[in-house]
Amino acid sequence: MTGGEVAGLLVAVFWAILVSFLAVVLVRLAQTLRAATRLVTEVTERAVPLLGEASATVRTAQTQLERVDTITTDVQEVTSNASALSATVATTFGGPLVKVAAFGYGVRQALTRRSAPPAPAPRRTVTGRRMPGPRARTRRGGKN
């Protein structure tokens, strides 16, 4: 065998090894692509029902939010009505009740003063000296 034939034989062997290696790589790549395709198919099969359920849940939540909005509006209206009623009651009964309470207080004070003897006026004292008490009321004509 000549040198050229040996070199050709070596190139052919390396070429066969390279082709075998590439064939193995392509087979493994094909298996990986099949597995990925199966995985995507399974995810799609599971995701579509989940998206449908999520859509139904969002619709239900929207319905509940509309109900809460209605309830909130009604509560706000009731609150404003109660406030108006409270102001009306305070205006209608507040003034007369204050007057009745003031009249009752005045009557009680008058009855208390009438039945109890008058309290003596407090005496004022200056250090070291005694001040006279209040003057007695005099009748007209200068007599007590």
Side-chain angles (χ1 to χ4, degrees):
M1 265 193 179
T2 63
E5 290 177 346
V6 171
L9 185 61
L10 284 175
V11 169
V13 169
F14 284 123
W15 185 254
I17 292 173
L18 179 65
V19 168
S20 299
F21 178 74
L22 288 176
V24 170
V25 169
L26 287 175
V27 168
R28 297 252 172 137
L29 182 62
Q31 289 174 351
T32 305
L33 287 175
R34 275 190 225 112
T37 303
R38 269 184 267 139
L39 181 63
V40 168
T41 304
E42 289 176 7
V43 167
T44 303
E45 288 174 357
R46 291 182 182 171
V48 170
L50 286 176
L51 289 174
E53 290 175 12
S55 177
T57 302
V58 167
R59 273 188 248 114
T60 303
Q62 179 63 29
T63 304
Q64 294 299 326
L65 285 175
E66 288 172 0
R67 286 182 183 172
V68 168
D69 187 39
T70 304
I71 291 169
T72 304
T73 303
D74 292 344
V75 166
Q76 185 178 11
E77 184 178 334
V78 167
T79 303
S80 66
N81 289 343
S83 176
L85 179 64
S86 173
T88 302
V89 167
T91 302
T92 304
F93 296 113
L97 284 178
V98 169
K99 290 178 183 177
V100 166
F103 178 74
Y105 178 77
V107 168
R108 194 171 351 130
Q109 289 297 319
L111 290 176
T112 303
R113 284 186 185 162
R114 196 168 196 203
S115 64
R123 296 194 175 244
R124 292 184 286 177
T125 306
V126 176
T127 307
R129 188 166 180 204
R130 220 178 145 127
M131 300 295 288
R135 294 186 182 176
R137 293 184 187 171
T138 58
R139 291 189 213 162
R140 292 186 188 193
K143 296 183 180 179
N144 284 344

